[in-house]
Amino acid sequence: MNIPFLGNWRSRHDTEQGAGRLAAALAEDPEGINELFAECEMLRAHARSAGLELDESPRSLEELDQLMPRWRRDPEITPWLGNDAGFYLGTVIIRAIPGAGWQVWPNGQPMIRLASGRELNVVESGVSWAMTGSPELSQAYAEASEG
């Protein structure tokens, strides 16, 4: 039996529970979550195949921006690669900008909060970069470093 409002309720409830679990994991083991988000296996594999080793530095974001976007030929890979790019961008920001850290929005979306309180949806930026090339990852980092 298909009851539309029940499906919507379950979806929202699952998202709220997932967001709560992720927020609890961040509070309990922020370094562990940082390491998990830093894995970015697909992005690292694509970079490696182009001769680029990602070292979690701001310079590596500039190097990623220079890659030929061959992944755009495969629309199924692009969003996944973009998700990894967002997590990688967040990783670089956390490692390079004092006071930056992962937070979770109520919808379950991980994001970066800067020491100033400003919030950045790095995953959205990464997906946009993978799909269109804009904003450049190095540009998103530069804006974050300004506070």
Side-chain angles (χ1 to χ4, degrees):
M1 178 188 246
N2 183 14
I3 306 172
F5 74 86
L6 186 56
N8 291 339
W9 178 85
R10 282 186 181 148
S11 176
R12 185 175 60 247
H13 187 67
D14 290 345
T15 299
E16 290 168 358
Q17 282 185 336
R21 285 193 296 270
L22 181 55
L26 268 169
E28 185 177 310
D29 185 12
E31 270 309 304
I33 296 298
N34 288 346
E35 292 306 313
L36 177 68
F37 286 167
E39 287 180 7
C40 314
E41 289 182 34
M42 183 180 284
L43 180 70
R44 289 180 188 277
H46 276 286
R48 205 171 298 115
S49 71
L52 174 61
E53 201 62 41
L54 300 179
D55 63 1
E56 300 174 5
S57 70
R59 173 108 176 107
S60 67
L61 296 172
E62 294 172 13
E63 293 168 343
L64 278 171
D65 288 337
Q66 300 305 312
L67 289 180
M68 291 296 296
R70 292 185 175 96
W71 59 82
R72 289 189 192 135
R73 293 183 209 149
D74 188 342
E76 290 190 24
I77 288 177
T78 303
W80 293 101
L81 187 71
N83 196 59
D84 271 11
F87 282 125
Y88 186 73
L89 172 61
T91 297
V92 172
I93 290 171
I94 286 172
R95 301 226 195 284
I97 300 175
W102 289 104
Q103 298 290 315
V104 181
W105 278 334
N107 68 359
Q109 176 72 40
M111 56 83 172
I112 296 292
R113 177 172 286 139
L114 301 175
S116 67
R118 184 171 157 220
E119 297 178 339
L120 308 171
N121 189 339
V122 291
V123 173
E124 183 179 272
S125 295
V127 170
S128 179
W129 171 83
M131 295 181 138
T132 68
S134 179
E136 290 185 335
L137 297 174
S138 58
Q139 176 188 355
Y141 171 80
E143 291 173 5
S145 67
E146 293 171 1

